[in-house]
Amino acid sequence: MTHLEAETADQPECWDRAAALAAARSDLLPVNGERVAVVGCGTSLFMAQAYAALRESHGLGETDAFAASEFPRGRRYDQVVALTRSGTTTEVLDLLAGLRGAVRTLAVTADPHTPVASAADALAVLDFADEHSVVQTRFATSALTFLRAGLGLHDAQVERDARRALSEPLPEGLARASQFTFLGNGWTVGLAHEAALKMREATRSWTESYPAMEYRHGPISIADRSTVTWMFGPAPAGLPEQVAATGARWIESALDPLASLVSVHRLAAAVAAERGLDPDRPRNLTRSVILADG
C-alpha cells in the first residue's frame, strides 16, 4: 500500500479529530463578522478558496482567499489564516513575517516544530493528519474540516459519507480516460481545483477545473468519449445532459462534496497504479517549496 492510499483511508478519523479541535479551540478561529483573508500555496490555496466561499456565503463575514505570494499588502483584515502542512513554505513565512504586528495571524499546520510556529501569532496543530506522501490528502481535508467545523458546517453525516466514499466501488473505466475535468459551485469550486491538482500530481493526467456555469463558455469544446467530467455538488440545470451529448462521461455524487474528494483521492491512487507511477513521489515535486535567499 502506498502512503497516498493509507493517508486517504483514515480521513474520516482525522476529520473527527479536526472537528473536536475546532470545538476545543474556538478561540483561535475568526469571529463572526470579522474580515478575514485565508492564504496558502498549491493544495492549501484551494482549501482556502473553499473555506472563504463557505464563510462568506453563510453571512459570517467578508472572506478572501489568496496564494500567499499574491496577498494584497495594502488591504486591511481583522485576521489572516495561513494553511501550511509543512510549516516551512517560503511564501507563507515571508507573508506572516510582513504582517507581524499589523494584523492577527493564525497558522494551521501539521508540524509545530517548524519556523511557522514563531512566524504566526497563533497555531492550530493538526499533527494527527501529517503525511509521508508528497501528495496531500488528509491534511488538506482535515484543515478544511477544522475551519468548516468552526463555522458550524460539519457534522457526523460528512464523516459517514467519507466512509462510503472509501468503501463504494469507483466508477469503472476511468483509468482509461485521456482527460479529466472537475466542476464546482460556490465553495466546491476550490474542491474541483484540488481534485484536478491531485490527478495531475499523482497520475500526470491532463486535468482542468472550472466553476460549473463557466464550463459551457468554451471548455466543453474538449469533451468527447475519452473525457470525464466530474461534478462536486449539485449540477446546474441541463449541464449533465449537455455533457452527455458530447459523449463524455458525467460523474455526480450524492455524497457531501468533501467526501466526494476522497473518491478522487482513491481514483488518483488507482490510476497511478494502472500507469506504473509512484503517487507518493511525483516528479519535480517536493513536500515543501523552500526558496534560497536572493
PDB file of all heavy atoms in Angstrom, residues 208-228:
ATOM      1  N   GLU A 208      -8.421  19.659 -15.900  1.00  0.00           N
ATOM      2  CA  GLU A 208      -8.855  21.040 -15.857  1.00  0.00           C
ATOM      3  C   GLU A 208      -9.925  21.173 -14.779  1.00  0.00           C
ATOM      4  O   GLU A 208     -10.486  20.169 -14.331  1.00  0.00           O
ATOM      5  CB  GLU A 208      -9.407  21.487 -17.219  1.00  0.00           C
ATOM      6  CG  GLU A 208      -8.380  21.429 -18.341  1.00  0.00           C
ATOM      7  CD  GLU A 208      -8.913  21.910 -19.677  1.00  0.00           C
ATOM      8  OE1 GLU A 208     -10.147  22.139 -19.786  1.00  0.00           O
ATOM      9  OE2 GLU A 208      -8.115  22.071 -20.608  1.00  0.00           O
ATOM     10  N   SER A 209     -10.208  22.399 -14.359  1.00  0.00           N
ATOM     11  CA  SER A 209     -11.240  22.631 -13.347  1.00  0.00           C
ATOM     12  C   SER A 209     -11.838  24.010 -13.549  1.00  0.00           C
ATOM     13  O   SER A 209     -11.118  24.959 -13.906  1.00  0.00           O
ATOM     14  CB  SER A 209     -10.663  22.486 -11.938  1.00  0.00           C
ATOM     15  OG  SER A 209      -9.502  23.273 -11.766  1.00  0.00           O
ATOM     16  N   TYR A 210     -13.151  24.114 -13.291  1.00  0.00           N
ATOM     17  CA  TYR A 210     -13.873  25.355 -13.555  1.00  0.00           C
ATOM     18  C   TYR A 210     -15.079  25.482 -12.628  1.00  0.00           C
ATOM     19  O   TYR A 210     -15.618  24.467 -12.154  1.00  0.00           O
ATOM     20  CB  TYR A 210     -14.419  25.373 -15.001  1.00  0.00           C
ATOM     21  CG  TYR A 210     -13.394  25.172 -16.067  1.00  0.00           C
ATOM     22  CD1 TYR A 210     -13.161  23.904 -16.598  1.00  0.00           C
ATOM     23  CD2 TYR A 210     -12.640  26.237 -16.550  1.00  0.00           C
ATOM     24  CE1 TYR A 210     -12.203  23.698 -17.580  1.00  0.00           C
ATOM     25  CE2 TYR A 210     -11.680  26.048 -17.538  1.00  0.00           C
ATOM     26  CZ  TYR A 210     -11.469  24.772 -18.048  1.00  0.00           C
ATOM     27  OH  TYR A 210     -10.516  24.577 -19.016  1.00  0.00           O
ATOM     28  N   PRO A 211     -15.564  26.704 -12.408  1.00  0.00           N
ATOM     29  CA  PRO A 211     -16.929  26.852 -11.905  1.00  0.00           C
ATOM     30  C   PRO A 211     -17.878  26.221 -12.933  1.00  0.00           C
ATOM     31  O   PRO A 211     -17.697  26.410 -14.149  1.00  0.00           O
ATOM     32  CB  PRO A 211     -17.121  28.372 -11.821  1.00  0.00           C
ATOM     33  CG  PRO A 211     -15.730  28.933 -11.765  1.00  0.00           C
ATOM     34  CD  PRO A 211     -14.896  28.006 -12.594  1.00  0.00           C
ATOM     35  N   ALA A 212     -18.865  25.506 -12.450  1.00  0.00           N
ATOM     36  CA  ALA A 212     -19.688  24.708 -13.360  1.00  0.00           C
ATOM     37  C   ALA A 212     -20.350  25.531 -14.459  1.00  0.00           C
ATOM     38  O   ALA A 212     -20.400  25.104 -15.624  1.00  0.00           O
ATOM     39  CB  ALA A 212     -20.752  23.949 -12.560  1.00  0.00           C
ATOM     40  N   MET A 213     -20.849  26.712 -14.115  1.00  0.00           N
ATOM     41  CA  MET A 213     -21.523  27.525 -15.127  1.00  0.00           C
ATOM     42  C   MET A 213     -20.563  28.017 -16.203  1.00  0.00           C
ATOM     43  O   MET A 213     -20.990  28.350 -17.316  1.00  0.00           O
ATOM     44  CB  MET A 213     -22.227  28.710 -14.469  1.00  0.00           C
ATOM     45  CG  MET A 213     -23.441  28.325 -13.635  1.00  0.00           C
ATOM     46  SD  MET A 213     -24.782  27.588 -14.612  1.00  0.00           S
ATOM     47  CE  MET A 213     -25.358  29.026 -15.501  1.00  0.00           C
ATOM     48  N   GLU A 214     -19.271  28.056 -15.896  1.00  0.00           N
ATOM     49  CA  GLU A 214     -18.284  28.500 -16.876  1.00  0.00           C
ATOM     50  C   GLU A 214     -17.923  27.412 -17.878  1.00  0.00           C
ATOM     51  O   GLU A 214     -17.312  27.696 -18.919  1.00  0.00           O
ATOM     52  CB  GLU A 214     -17.010  28.963 -16.159  1.00  0.00           C
ATOM     53  CG  GLU A 214     -17.131  30.317 -15.474  1.00  0.00           C
ATOM     54  CD  GLU A 214     -17.385  31.421 -16.481  1.00  0.00           C
ATOM     55  OE1 GLU A 214     -16.576  31.576 -17.420  1.00  0.00           O
ATOM     56  OE2 GLU A 214     -18.400  32.127 -16.339  1.00  0.00           O
ATOM     57  N   TYR A 215     -18.281  26.179 -17.579  1.00  0.00           N
ATOM     58  CA  TYR A 215     -17.863  25.069 -18.448  1.00  0.00           C
ATOM     59  C   TYR A 215     -18.445  25.207 -19.851  1.00  0.00           C
ATOM     60  O   TYR A 215     -17.809  24.819 -20.835  1.00  0.00           O
ATOM     61  CB  TYR A 215     -18.281  23.746 -17.824  1.00  0.00           C
ATOM     62  CG  TYR A 215     -17.683  22.534 -18.485  1.00  0.00           C
ATOM     63  CD1 TYR A 215     -16.307  22.425 -18.676  1.00  0.00           C
ATOM     64  CD2 TYR A 215     -18.493  21.488 -18.928  1.00  0.00           C
ATOM     65  CE1 TYR A 215     -15.754  21.322 -19.280  1.00  0.00           C
ATOM     66  CE2 TYR A 215     -17.940  20.366 -19.533  1.00  0.00           C
ATOM     67  CZ  TYR A 215     -16.580  20.277 -19.710  1.00  0.00           C
ATOM     68  OH  TYR A 215     -16.035  19.166 -20.310  1.00  0.00           O
ATOM     69  N   ARG A 216     -19.630  25.783 -19.942  1.00  0.00           N
ATOM     70  CA  ARG A 216     -20.257  25.966 -21.253  1.00  0.00           C
ATOM     71  C   ARG A 216     -19.548  27.027 -22.089  1.00  0.00           C
ATOM     72  O   ARG A 216     -19.706  27.071 -23.302  1.00  0.00           O
ATOM     73  CB  ARG A 216     -21.717  26.379 -21.081  1.00  0.00           C
ATOM     74  CG  ARG A 216     -22.619  25.340 -20.422  1.00  0.00           C
ATOM     75  CD  ARG A 216     -24.040  25.894 -20.385  1.00  0.00           C
ATOM     76  NE  ARG A 216     -25.023  24.940 -19.931  1.00  0.00           N
ATOM     77  CZ  ARG A 216     -25.515  24.903 -18.691  1.00  0.00           C
ATOM     78  NH1 ARG A 216     -25.054  25.773 -17.789  1.00  0.00           N
ATOM     79  NH2 ARG A 216     -26.433  24.032 -18.353  1.00  0.00           N
ATOM     80  N   HIS A 217     -18.776  27.884 -21.427  1.00  0.00           N
ATOM     81  CA  HIS A 217     -18.188  29.039 -22.110  1.00  0.00           C
ATOM     82  C   HIS A 217     -16.816  28.696 -22.688  1.00  0.00           C
ATOM     83  O   HIS A 217     -15.828  29.399 -22.450  1.00  0.00           O
ATOM     84  CB  HIS A 217     -18.090  30.224 -21.145  1.00  0.00           C
ATOM     85  CG  HIS A 217     -19.425  30.756 -20.725  1.00  0.00           C
ATOM     86  ND1 HIS A 217     -20.092  31.744 -21.399  1.00  0.00           N
ATOM     87  CD2 HIS A 217     -20.234  30.405 -19.694  1.00  0.00           C
ATOM     88  CE1 HIS A 217     -21.249  31.988 -20.810  1.00  0.00           C
ATOM     89  NE2 HIS A 217     -21.359  31.190 -19.764  1.00  0.00           N
ATOM     90  N   GLY A 218     -16.746  27.629 -23.433  1.00  0.00           N
ATOM     91  CA  GLY A 218     -15.502  27.258 -24.096  1.00  0.00           C
ATOM     92  C   GLY A 218     -14.954  25.893 -23.726  1.00  0.00           C
ATOM     93  O   GLY A 218     -14.686  25.067 -24.622  1.00  0.00           O
ATOM     94  N   PRO A 219     -14.731  25.596 -22.429  1.00  0.00           N
ATOM     95  CA  PRO A 219     -14.073  24.336 -22.071  1.00  0.00           C
ATOM     96  C   PRO A 219     -14.797  23.084 -22.529  1.00  0.00           C
ATOM     97  O   PRO A 219     -14.158  22.057 -22.794  1.00  0.00           O
ATOM     98  CB  PRO A 219     -14.004  24.403 -20.537  1.00  0.00           C
ATOM     99  CG  PRO A 219     -13.988  25.856 -20.228  1.00  0.00           C
ATOM    100  CD  PRO A 219     -14.879  26.483 -21.250  1.00  0.00           C
ATOM    101  N   ILE A 220     -16.119  23.138 -22.646  1.00  0.00           N
ATOM    102  CA  ILE A 220     -16.856  21.955 -23.060  1.00  0.00           C
ATOM    103  C   ILE A 220     -16.461  21.503 -24.474  1.00  0.00           C
ATOM    104  O   ILE A 220     -16.717  20.371 -24.880  1.00  0.00           O
ATOM    105  CB  ILE A 220     -18.378  22.206 -22.971  1.00  0.00           C
ATOM    106  CG1 ILE A 220     -19.147  20.867 -23.017  1.00  0.00           C
ATOM    107  CG2 ILE A 220     -18.846  23.171 -24.048  1.00  0.00           C
ATOM    108  CD1 ILE A 220     -20.622  21.003 -22.730  1.00  0.00           C
ATOM    109  N   SER A 221     -15.785  22.372 -25.197  1.00  0.00           N
ATOM    110  CA  SER A 221     -15.371  22.021 -26.566  1.00  0.00           C
ATOM    111  C   SER A 221     -14.399  20.857 -26.601  1.00  0.00           C
ATOM    112  O   SER A 221     -14.252  20.202 -27.643  1.00  0.00           O
ATOM    113  CB  SER A 221     -14.747  23.239 -27.255  1.00  0.00           C
ATOM    114  OG  SER A 221     -13.571  23.651 -26.576  1.00  0.00           O
ATOM    115  N   ILE A 222     -13.709  20.577 -25.474  1.00  0.00           N
ATOM    116  CA  ILE A 222     -12.767  19.455 -25.468  1.00  0.00           C
ATOM    117  C   ILE A 222     -13.437  18.127 -25.125  1.00  0.00           C
ATOM    118  O   ILE A 222     -12.817  17.075 -25.231  1.00  0.00           O
ATOM    119  CB  ILE A 222     -11.624  19.692 -24.464  1.00  0.00           C
ATOM    120  CG1 ILE A 222     -12.163  19.730 -23.032  1.00  0.00           C
ATOM    121  CG2 ILE A 222     -10.852  20.948 -24.804  1.00  0.00           C
ATOM    122  CD1 ILE A 222     -11.081  19.669 -21.976  1.00  0.00           C
ATOM    123  N   ALA A 223     -14.691  18.170 -24.686  1.00  0.00           N
ATOM    124  CA  ALA A 223     -15.353  16.953 -24.213  1.00  0.00           C
ATOM    125  C   ALA A 223     -15.648  15.996 -25.360  1.00  0.00           C
ATOM    126  O   ALA A 223     -16.167  16.392 -26.408  1.00  0.00           O
ATOM    127  CB  ALA A 223     -16.641  17.311 -23.491  1.00  0.00           C
ATOM    128  N   ASP A 224     -15.298  14.726 -25.156  1.00  0.00           N
ATOM    129  CA  ASP A 224     -15.647  13.669 -26.105  1.00  0.00           C
ATOM    130  C   ASP A 224     -15.653  12.342 -25.360  1.00  0.00           C
ATOM    131  O   ASP A 224     -15.613  12.309 -24.128  1.00  0.00           O
ATOM    132  CB  ASP A 224     -14.693  13.656 -27.306  1.00  0.00           C
ATOM    133  CG  ASP A 224     -13.237  13.406 -26.929  1.00  0.00           C
ATOM    134  OD1 ASP A 224     -12.974  12.798 -25.860  1.00  0.00           O
ATOM    135  OD2 ASP A 224     -12.345  13.821 -27.681  1.00  0.00           O
ATOM    136  N   ARG A 225     -15.684  11.242 -26.086  1.00  0.00           N
ATOM    137  CA  ARG A 225     -15.823   9.930 -25.453  1.00  0.00           C
ATOM    138  C   ARG A 225     -14.627   9.535 -24.595  1.00  0.00           C
ATOM    139  O   ARG A 225     -14.730   8.610 -23.783  1.00  0.00           O
ATOM    140  CB  ARG A 225     -16.067   8.861 -26.520  1.00  0.00           C
ATOM    141  CG  ARG A 225     -17.391   9.023 -27.239  1.00  0.00           C
ATOM    142  CD  ARG A 225     -17.647   7.893 -28.233  1.00  0.00           C
ATOM    143  NE  ARG A 225     -18.909   8.096 -28.935  1.00  0.00           N
ATOM    144  CZ  ARG A 225     -20.101   7.750 -28.450  1.00  0.00           C
ATOM    145  NH1 ARG A 225     -20.166   7.175 -27.254  1.00  0.00           N
ATOM    146  NH2 ARG A 225     -21.196   7.973 -29.131  1.00  0.00           N
ATOM    147  N   SER A 226     -13.518  10.225 -24.734  1.00  0.00           N
ATOM    148  CA  SER A 226     -12.333   9.872 -23.958  1.00  0.00           C
ATOM    149  C   SER A 226     -12.183  10.715 -22.690  1.00  0.00           C
ATOM    150  O   SER A 226     -11.197  10.569 -21.977  1.00  0.00           O
ATOM    151  CB  SER A 226     -11.074  10.025 -24.821  1.00  0.00           C
ATOM    152  OG  SER A 226     -10.843  11.386 -25.127  1.00  0.00           O
ATOM    153  N   THR A 227     -13.139  11.602 -22.416  1.00  0.00           N
ATOM    154  CA  THR A 227     -13.005  12.509 -21.282  1.00  0.00           C
ATOM    155  C   THR A 227     -14.029  12.196 -20.191  1.00  0.00           C
ATOM    156  O   THR A 227     -15.068  11.596 -20.431  1.00  0.00           O
ATOM    157  CB  THR A 227     -13.159  13.974 -21.717  1.00  0.00           C
ATOM    158  OG1 THR A 227     -14.482  14.196 -22.196  1.00  0.00           O
ATOM    159  CG2 THR A 227     -12.168  14.331 -22.802  1.00  0.00           C
ATOM    160  N   VAL A 228     -13.691  12.648 -18.987  1.00  0.00           N
ATOM    161  CA  VAL A 228     -14.554  12.502 -17.814  1.00  0.00           C
ATOM    162  C   VAL A 228     -14.837  13.890 -17.249  1.00  0.00           C
ATOM    163  O   VAL A 228     -13.913  14.697 -17.091  1.00  0.00           O
ATOM    164  CB  VAL A 228     -13.877  11.629 -16.735  1.00  0.00           C
ATOM    165  CG1 VAL A 228     -14.678  11.658 -15.430  1.00  0.00           C
ATOM    166  CG2 VAL A 228     -13.699  10.204 -17.224  1.00  0.00           C
TER     167      VAL A 228
END
